[in-house]
Amino acid sequence: MRPILLKGHERPLTFIRYNREGDLLFTCAKDHHPTLWYGDTGERVGTYVGHNGAVWTCDVSDDSSTLLTGSADTTAKLWDAKTGECYFTFTFDQPVRAVALAHGGKRAAITTDPFMGVPSAIHIVEIDLEDRSRQTARVIRRIDGPQGRVTRVLWGPLNRTVITGGEDGIIRSWDAENGEVLKISQEHSKQIQHLSMSEDGSHFISASLDKTAKVFDSETLECMKTYSADRPVNAAILSPIRDHIVLGGGQDAMSVTTTSSKAGKFDSKIYHKIFEEEIGGIRGHFGPINALAFNPDGRSFTSGGEDGYVRIHPLDNSYFEIP
Amino acid sequence: MDAIPSNFPRDEDGFVDWNKVDVESVELPRDEFERAGLDKPVEAEIEELKQESGFASVIVVDNLPMIAEAKYAKLLSVLTKIFSQIGTIREGGLLMPQDDSKTSLGFAFIEYENEQQAQSAVDQTNGYQLDKKHVFKVCKFDDFEKYEKVPDEYVAPPPKPFAKRENTQAWMMDQRGRDQFVCRFGDETEIFWNDPQTKKGEDVYTRTHWTESYVQWSPKGSFLATVHRQGVALWGGESFGRIAKYAHNAVQFIEFSPCERFLATGSTHEPSKAGETTQVLVNFFDTRSGAKLRTFTGPISDFIAEGQQGLTWPVFKWAGQSNGKCGAFFAKIATGAISVYEAPEMTLVDKKSIKLPGVVDFCWSPADPILSCFQPEQNGGNVPARLSLIGLPSKQEVRSKNLFNVVGVNMHWQSGGDYFAAKILRTTKSKKSTYSGFELFRLREPNCPMEVLELPNKAEKIVAFAWEPKGHRFAIIHGDGARPDVSFYSMKDKQGNNNCTLIGTIKNKTANHLFWSPNGRVVILAGLKTMNGQFEFFDVDAMDTMASVEHFMATDVEWDPTGRFVTTAVTSVHQMENGYHMWTFNGKLLYKYGKDRFFQFLWRPRGKSLLSPEQEADIEKNIKKYSKRFEEIDEKIRNEADSSAASEKRIKEEKWRNWLESKKAIRETQAYKAAEADVVGETQANSRKDFVETTVIEEEILSIVEEPI
Amino acid sequence: MAIKPRWDAIDADTERAVDARRDADDEALSKTTETLRSTKIAAANGGSSDASDLPANEKLGPDEEGVMTSITYQINDAGVRTKTVKRYKEHEVVKKVTPGMLERKTWEKFGDAKRYKPGDESMTAVSLEEIFLEKTRVQPKSELEKASDPLAAMASAQTSLLVCRTCGKKGDHWTSKCPYKDLANDGSKPPDEDGAFGARKPGGYVPPSMRAGATGTGASMDRRRDENSIRVSNLSEDTREQDLQELFRPFGPVTRIYVAINRDTGEARGFAFVNMVNREDGQRAIDKLDGYGYDNLILRVEWAAPREERR
């Protein structure tokens, strides 16, 4: 397999997402410019210029027309995906850590970090994809989150709930209407870095610094599977077509005592989703892997690392032969 | 416990009325032992302490002539004379009652000073023929009652219910032909199967505090013996239940006969008083019945050769038996003689020992009743040193050789008794240095011919010597440096003639011990102790090293009885890293097991094969057929570990699918679909329906090379 | 496989692409590439004067095995003029597309991508190396714990295997010095490479170039060596071949070890090259040993830079 290397970001990657069909790839990094690439060739299409801080997260509408990004500069921006123009900015008091468009794209959840005693918050806003001029910054509901920061937010089935994971390692599902905590899961012992929903919305996977990734039922938050890794896990994703998961992570560069920067030994690990067994690994990054995304067609996945590189991994027969 | 007997006269208020106490009727308190309530040792066959009736030292002599008064005094003096020889008769202790007519009743009571004398008297005078008509019948007074109770009719004792004994050979029936071994770690004794497929020891039996000092297998592996304060216990069968126990207080050593029928237990007892010598006590038991057949006891000098200091065990060495018969010879060395006994009679062969002045060492052939012994120079050099092979029971010399200037001799028998080697260390004429040579005896040839072998460098130190089991070869480690050489010799030359020839020498090996595989052909050149556990697996047929491995600080090497596996172990001699490594015969490491305070590792021996030589040859011919079957079994076992995992997987998968299905079912419901359409705008199933298939050219990149120009 | 499909303009009703149309678009796409390139050249012209005389790109093939060769010339982001030779095979693959996907393919560049900068071409690059899915060995749990770290196993057992794995011979030589060192598998019969090895008879004549320790002549030897060459740096001064042999042996058979020695002092210059027989073994060795504390120094272990790239 020959991965395609994308060297567009100067700073560590923070987030990667494909559009619904998988032909567009959006990458966010600590440099301020989220970038759009073609998912098949890796050719860079453009960058979204406007943020003044690290871009932590993004989400794209189902029709691939609109991009929503969240940044450390305390804003969340709506962009025209095609032209790169930012047409709306939500401004908050704290850095925006996670964004997620609801099913159907009419709403979005935007989370902000805690600051000076103010806890983290989940802001539910309305998104008008049809008429952008009608977009307002109105927050339908503001949910006060936990004390620690919320690193990822997902919309539950039928948009009835939002599910968050964060610094305290606790996964919570909130009622999207009234903001009540419906369920809590305390399976992880350290910060949750990433949450990723399955194709059908029935389960999601979490990645945690406690060196595990876990699969949960989206309704009950019951922990169904656990995958043990030998490194803190920064990202975990579910294959849309096979019973596999991919996880990536690694020690923070500063805490690594070796000068192994040239070795390229940080790898993405593939596990069998049901048997929780490690199948194999794909290496190549020169630093910890911070972000992962599966192409919706299941035939490739993309990883983004601390080293600023994005690698599109097309999967070949050696992968598909695995039972 | 009442110190004052209850039958003492008491007042109303319960106090003893001392005035009324009859001093004469006061009985002395019972034995100290009983009063103090000393615990009886568990499982010991210590005889129950007899109550002292006060008559323990009294004997009854019956069948005396009934004589008239006139002869009474004469008879009395005759009795006195006889019985006072055995012990001291108490004053007034001889009582020969008479009837009214002053005729003696025909019996007498004699009281000795103590019970032992009384017992001696019984032993020695019972059956003494006084005259034609009178034969003494003597017994102890206390036993009298016992004899009285013997019924006139002989009633056969009821048969004890048959307690089914376990099959002590059960382990040999293992389908996969595995061998067992026992380990002692700390207080635990564990028995394992050596399983090369699962690459670990499979636990058979574990017991804590099973033994008080050490354990030992019987020579054919039927039993495991444990040593305790009170004696020895044998355990066996599938569940390792106790088969038998033998009482021997403070036993220190045990030795089985090769046929397992007899067990010798020995102990030494330090003298309690200065000036006395250490006593040695050896008991021989019949293993099956538990009966004590004979006891040997005496000062240590009876059991060691002249000039030796301490007792070396085994004191009694058993002769080997190749014929499978079980009348065994065993022998011990004493000053100037070797005493050979025969089991099960436990008597000296020909009722006397073999006189060998100055004999210092002897050794049995493992297969035949032939012993080799060595007598150093006597008489200031007038009588040369002598090495002899003596056959039993004839006590004829099979072969002997006189030697001069001998410093020491080491004796080595080959496993089948075919060959015997003696390493002779001699001094040179000037007595300044020593050199070594070997006397090799061929036992299977008529007249037991002898050959002398000297190494090219005679003055070299011989580090080790070992015969190849079941073979014609032997290995010698020789050399003065840190890395000696190893030479291999064969007793047959290339043409098969009986000529001792050098096969080859390999130089500079870190080895100081030789461990041949029990089937021969493979030998481990081991560097123990100062060489820190280096092992070389050497194939003598190919004269090639198969593997060179290391087990740091290993102290012991043990081959399994089949020669397939070998263990190197670090015992508690060292503080750290105790444990054993299991290797295949060609030096591949199978697995390791580490645990601290590792004391013993012993493979369970196998008994002799029940197959005839023809059957064995037949199997060897068809080995492929058999091996295929076993390969399959092995493969299955290897996968079984995984197949349990496989079924686990199936369960997991099913569970997951069911869960997915249940979730899907919910999504399919009308209510859900309606809600979905409402909230999301379209259902998932309907989305992306506008996919169109098209053919596209894809590139499969074979290579990309970039270079500057 | 690198996926580089070329999109055709498709009629929404048809389900399969038409060859003619495909060729037409083939041309269109290559025109775009050309435009891009000439834009780059034009831009580069402002800076470097080399761009204009870059030779034209070539596309050759297919040869008898269906292999196409594409040769492109460009200036990489370091400003170096490079020639890239790409050998590939073309496959027809059925793909699903939506009109939306087709539409998005026509989007124009925006943001930072709007203005071409030198080096943009190499922003997207197909990896020069093939990356393999390294399968985790499935073992029974008991073995897993034991064998998971060959380094730990090595460290604890302190084995000093004097076995030459390539020819199975024992005792007198390391694998790297084995006369039969070009064998890939241990225990198997040596293939009749170059005829010089022939039977496994020790003492048979072996030509000097094939002998153990030969410094090697012949391109074939070189290439073999270089492809799986691992560079080990930050070695201590007294590190020798034997030490590295022991270090790498657990990962697989080693064909050659070269420790850079200072001729005068006899000390190691701090780096060495190790050639493993199997690349996967080498990869594993790199994974495990890079950063490994050895003799109080932290090793740096990586694939050696290919000969061609060394100046």
Short mmCIF file of all heavy atoms in Angstrom, two decimals, chain A residues 29-32 34 50-58 69-77 79 90 92 94-99 110-113:
data_model
loop_
_atom_site.label_atom_id
_atom_site.label_comp_id
_atom_site.label_asym_id
_atom_site.label_seq_id
_atom_site.Cartn_x
_atom_site.Cartn_y
_atom_site.Cartn_z
N ALA A 29 -5.69 21.81 12.02
CA ALA A 29 -4.41 21.71 12.71
C ALA A 29 -4.22 22.89 13.63
O ALA A 29 -5.05 23.79 13.69
CB ALA A 29 -3.27 21.63 11.70
N LYS A 30 -3.10 22.86 14.30
CA LYS A 30 -2.83 23.97 15.20
C LYS A 30 -2.43 25.22 14.45
O LYS A 30 -2.45 26.32 15.02
CB LYS A 30 -1.73 23.58 16.20
CG LYS A 30 -2.21 22.60 17.26
CD LYS A 30 -1.15 22.34 18.32
CE LYS A 30 -1.65 21.31 19.31
NZ LYS A 30 -0.59 20.86 20.22
N ASP A 31 -2.04 25.08 13.22
CA ASP A 31 -1.92 26.29 12.40
C ASP A 31 -3.35 26.73 12.13
O ASP A 31 -4.27 25.98 12.35
CB ASP A 31 -1.14 26.02 11.09
CG ASP A 31 -1.86 25.08 10.14
OD1 ASP A 31 -3.05 24.78 10.34
OD2 ASP A 31 -1.24 24.63 9.19
N HIS A 32 -3.60 27.91 11.71
CA HIS A 32 -4.97 28.40 11.82
C HIS A 32 -5.83 28.09 10.61
O HIS A 32 -6.95 28.57 10.52
CB HIS A 32 -4.96 29.90 12.09
CG HIS A 32 -4.00 30.27 13.19
ND1 HIS A 32 -3.51 31.54 13.35
CD2 HIS A 32 -3.41 29.55 14.15
CE1 HIS A 32 -2.68 31.57 14.38
NE2 HIS A 32 -2.59 30.37 14.88
N PRO A 34 -7.74 25.49 8.42
CA PRO A 34 -8.24 24.18 8.01
C PRO A 34 -8.12 24.06 6.49
O PRO A 34 -8.24 25.05 5.78
CB PRO A 34 -9.71 24.19 8.43
CG PRO A 34 -9.94 25.43 9.18
CD PRO A 34 -8.77 26.34 9.00
N GLY A 50 -9.10 32.50 8.16
CA GLY A 50 -9.92 33.41 8.95
C GLY A 50 -9.71 33.26 10.44
O GLY A 50 -9.84 34.20 11.21
N HIS A 51 -9.41 32.04 10.87
CA HIS A 51 -9.25 31.85 12.31
C HIS A 51 -7.93 32.44 12.79
O HIS A 51 -6.96 32.50 12.04
CB HIS A 51 -9.28 30.35 12.65
CG HIS A 51 -10.66 29.81 12.84
ND1 HIS A 51 -11.53 30.28 13.79
CD2 HIS A 51 -11.32 28.82 12.17
CE1 HIS A 51 -12.68 29.61 13.72
NE2 HIS A 51 -12.58 28.71 12.74
N ASN A 52 -7.93 32.81 14.06
CA ASN A 52 -6.71 33.36 14.66
C ASN A 52 -6.11 32.45 15.71
O ASN A 52 -5.30 32.88 16.52
CB ASN A 52 -7.03 34.70 15.32
CG ASN A 52 -7.35 35.73 14.29
OD1 ASN A 52 -6.71 35.77 13.24
ND2 ASN A 52 -8.35 36.56 14.55
N GLY A 53 -6.55 31.24 15.71
CA GLY A 53 -5.99 30.34 16.71
C GLY A 53 -6.03 28.93 16.18
O GLY A 53 -6.50 28.68 15.07
N ALA A 54 -5.53 28.03 16.97
CA ALA A 54 -5.54 26.62 16.56
C ALA A 54 -6.97 26.20 16.28
O ALA A 54 -7.88 26.57 17.01
CB ALA A 54 -4.94 25.74 17.66
N VAL A 55 -7.14 25.45 15.23
CA VAL A 55 -8.48 24.96 14.89
C VAL A 55 -8.60 23.55 15.43
O VAL A 55 -7.87 22.65 15.03
CB VAL A 55 -8.69 24.96 13.36
CG1 VAL A 55 -10.08 24.47 13.02
CG2 VAL A 55 -8.46 26.37 12.82
N TRP A 56 -9.52 23.36 16.36
CA TRP A 56 -9.60 22.08 17.04
C TRP A 56 -10.51 21.09 16.37
O TRP A 56 -10.40 19.89 16.57
CB TRP A 56 -10.12 22.28 18.47
CG TRP A 56 -9.19 23.04 19.36
CD1 TRP A 56 -9.46 24.24 19.95
CD2 TRP A 56 -7.86 22.69 19.74
NE1 TRP A 56 -8.39 24.64 20.68
CE2 TRP A 56 -7.38 23.72 20.58
CE3 TRP A 56 -7.03 21.61 19.47
CZ2 TRP A 56 -6.11 23.69 21.13
CZ3 TRP A 56 -5.76 21.59 20.03
CH2 TRP A 56 -5.31 22.63 20.86
N THR A 57 -11.45 21.56 15.61
CA THR A 57 -12.52 20.66 15.21
C THR A 57 -13.24 21.21 13.99
O THR A 57 -13.12 22.40 13.67
CB THR A 57 -13.51 20.50 16.38
OG1 THR A 57 -14.51 19.57 16.02
CG2 THR A 57 -14.13 21.83 16.72
N CYS A 58 -13.98 20.34 13.31
CA CYS A 58 -14.83 20.83 12.22
C CYS A 58 -15.90 19.79 11.92
O CYS A 58 -15.84 18.66 12.39
CB CYS A 58 -14.00 21.09 10.95
SG CYS A 58 -13.43 19.59 10.14
N THR A 69 -16.38 25.15 11.70
CA THR A 69 -15.11 24.91 12.39
C THR A 69 -15.15 25.54 13.77
O THR A 69 -15.91 26.47 14.02
CB THR A 69 -13.92 25.53 11.64
OG1 THR A 69 -14.15 26.93 11.50
CG2 THR A 69 -13.73 24.89 10.29
N GLY A 70 -14.32 25.01 14.66
CA GLY A 70 -14.23 25.58 16.00
C GLY A 70 -12.76 25.81 16.31
O GLY A 70 -11.91 24.99 15.99
N SER A 71 -12.47 26.94 16.96
CA SER A 71 -11.06 27.29 17.14
C SER A 71 -10.77 27.81 18.54
O SER A 71 -11.68 28.22 19.27
CB SER A 71 -10.67 28.35 16.10
OG SER A 71 -9.47 28.98 16.47
N ALA A 72 -9.50 27.79 18.85
CA ALA A 72 -9.07 28.30 20.14
C ALA A 72 -9.24 29.80 20.24
O ALA A 72 -9.13 30.39 21.31
CB ALA A 72 -7.59 27.94 20.37
N ASP A 73 -9.55 30.41 19.12
CA ASP A 73 -9.74 31.87 19.16
C ASP A 73 -11.14 32.24 19.63
O ASP A 73 -11.63 33.34 19.38
CB ASP A 73 -9.43 32.50 17.78
CG ASP A 73 -10.44 32.07 16.72
OD1 ASP A 73 -11.40 31.32 17.05
OD2 ASP A 73 -10.28 32.47 15.55
N THR A 74 -11.79 31.32 20.29
CA THR A 74 -13.13 31.43 20.89
C THR A 74 -14.26 31.58 19.88
O THR A 74 -15.37 31.90 20.23
CB THR A 74 -13.24 32.60 21.92
OG1 THR A 74 -13.32 33.84 21.21
CG2 THR A 74 -12.07 32.61 22.88
N THR A 75 -13.96 31.34 18.61
CA THR A 75 -15.06 31.43 17.64
C THR A 75 -15.32 30.10 16.98
O THR A 75 -14.44 29.24 16.91
CB THR A 75 -14.74 32.44 16.52
OG1 THR A 75 -13.67 31.88 15.71
CG2 THR A 75 -14.32 33.77 17.06
N ALA A 76 -16.55 29.96 16.51
CA ALA A 76 -16.88 28.86 15.61
C ALA A 76 -17.34 29.53 14.33
O ALA A 76 -18.11 30.49 14.37
CB ALA A 76 -18.00 27.99 16.20
N LYS A 77 -16.86 29.05 13.19
CA LYS A 77 -17.18 29.73 11.93
C LYS A 77 -17.90 28.82 10.97
O LYS A 77 -17.66 27.61 10.93
CB LYS A 77 -15.88 30.23 11.28
CG LYS A 77 -15.26 31.44 11.97
CD LYS A 77 -13.92 31.82 11.31
CE LYS A 77 -13.27 33.00 12.02
NZ LYS A 77 -13.93 34.28 11.72
N TRP A 79 -18.47 28.22 6.98
CA TRP A 79 -17.80 28.55 5.73
C TRP A 79 -18.55 27.96 4.56
O TRP A 79 -19.20 26.93 4.68
CB TRP A 79 -16.39 27.96 5.68
CG TRP A 79 -15.55 28.16 6.90
CD1 TRP A 79 -15.67 27.52 8.09
CD2 TRP A 79 -14.44 29.03 7.02
NE1 TRP A 79 -14.70 27.95 8.97
CE2 TRP A 79 -13.93 28.88 8.33
CE3 TRP A 79 -13.81 29.95 6.16
CZ2 TRP A 79 -12.84 29.60 8.81
CZ3 TRP A 79 -12.71 30.64 6.65
CH2 TRP A 79 -12.24 30.48 7.95
N PHE A 90 -19.66 32.51 15.07
CA PHE A 90 -20.23 32.48 16.42
C PHE A 90 -19.11 32.87 17.36
O PHE A 90 -18.05 32.26 17.34
CB PHE A 90 -20.69 31.08 16.81
CG PHE A 90 -21.80 30.51 15.98
CD1 PHE A 90 -21.53 29.79 14.82
CD2 PHE A 90 -23.12 30.69 16.37
CE1 PHE A 90 -22.57 29.26 14.08
CE2 PHE A 90 -24.16 30.14 15.63
CZ PHE A 90 -23.90 29.44 14.47
N PHE A 92 -17.72 33.26 21.23
CA PHE A 92 -17.97 32.86 22.61
C PHE A 92 -16.92 33.49 23.49
O PHE A 92 -16.03 34.20 23.03
CB PHE A 92 -17.92 31.33 22.74
CG PHE A 92 -18.94 30.62 21.92
CD1 PHE A 92 -18.63 30.21 20.62
CD2 PHE A 92 -20.22 30.40 22.41
CE1 PHE A 92 -19.59 29.57 19.85
CE2 PHE A 92 -21.16 29.76 21.64
CZ PHE A 92 -20.86 29.34 20.34
N GLN A 94 -15.05 31.59 25.55
CA GLN A 94 -13.95 30.64 25.77
C GLN A 94 -13.59 29.96 24.46
O GLN A 94 -14.37 29.98 23.51
CB GLN A 94 -14.36 29.56 26.78
CG GLN A 94 -14.38 30.03 28.22
CD GLN A 94 -15.66 30.76 28.54
OE1 GLN A 94 -16.70 30.45 27.99
NE2 GLN A 94 -15.56 31.78 29.38
N PRO A 95 -12.43 29.35 24.44
CA PRO A 95 -12.04 28.62 23.22
C PRO A 95 -13.08 27.56 22.89
O PRO A 95 -13.63 26.92 23.78
CB PRO A 95 -10.71 27.97 23.60
CG PRO A 95 -10.18 28.75 24.74
CD PRO A 95 -11.35 29.33 25.45
N VAL A 96 -13.31 27.40 21.63
CA VAL A 96 -14.24 26.37 21.16
C VAL A 96 -13.46 25.10 20.95
O VAL A 96 -12.45 25.08 20.24
CB VAL A 96 -14.90 26.81 19.83
CG1 VAL A 96 -15.73 25.67 19.25
CG2 VAL A 96 -15.76 28.04 20.07
N ARG A 97 -13.94 24.03 21.55
CA ARG A 97 -13.15 22.80 21.51
C ARG A 97 -13.74 21.76 20.56
O ARG A 97 -13.00 21.00 19.94
CB ARG A 97 -13.08 22.20 22.93
CG ARG A 97 -12.24 20.98 23.09
CD ARG A 97 -10.78 21.19 22.80
NE ARG A 97 -10.18 22.16 23.69
CZ ARG A 97 -8.87 22.34 23.80
NH1 ARG A 97 -8.05 21.62 23.08
NH2 ARG A 97 -8.40 23.24 24.62
N ALA A 98 -15.09 21.68 20.50
CA ALA A 98 -15.68 20.65 19.66
C ALA A 98 -16.94 21.18 19.00
O ALA A 98 -17.66 21.98 19.59
CB ALA A 98 -16.03 19.41 20.48
N VAL A 99 -17.17 20.76 17.76
CA VAL A 99 -18.43 21.12 17.09
C VAL A 99 -18.98 19.86 16.44
O VAL A 99 -18.25 18.94 16.09
CB VAL A 99 -18.22 22.19 15.98
CG1 VAL A 99 -17.67 23.46 16.58
CG2 VAL A 99 -17.34 21.68 14.88
N ILE A 110 -21.93 23.14 19.87
CA ILE A 110 -20.60 23.75 19.94
C ILE A 110 -20.19 23.75 21.40
O ILE A 110 -20.93 24.24 22.25
CB ILE A 110 -20.63 25.19 19.41
CG1 ILE A 110 -21.14 25.21 17.97
CG2 ILE A 110 -19.26 25.84 19.51
CD1 ILE A 110 -21.37 26.59 17.42
N THR A 111 -19.02 23.20 21.70
CA THR A 111 -18.62 23.17 23.11
C THR A 111 -17.48 24.15 23.33
O THR A 111 -16.62 24.35 22.45
CB THR A 111 -18.15 21.78 23.56
OG1 THR A 111 -16.89 21.50 22.95
CG2 THR A 111 -19.14 20.72 23.18
N THR A 112 -17.50 24.75 24.52
CA THR A 112 -16.44 25.69 24.87
C THR A 112 -15.73 25.18 26.11
O THR A 112 -16.31 24.47 26.93
CB THR A 112 -17.02 27.08 25.17
OG1 THR A 112 -18.10 26.93 26.09
CG2 THR A 112 -17.53 27.73 23.90
N ASP A 113 -14.47 25.58 26.22
CA ASP A 113 -13.64 25.13 27.33
C ASP A 113 -14.01 25.83 28.61
O ASP A 113 -14.55 26.93 28.60
CB ASP A 113 -12.18 25.43 27.03
CG ASP A 113 -11.58 24.40 26.09
OD1 ASP A 113 -12.25 23.39 25.82
OD2 ASP A 113 -10.44 24.63 25.64
#
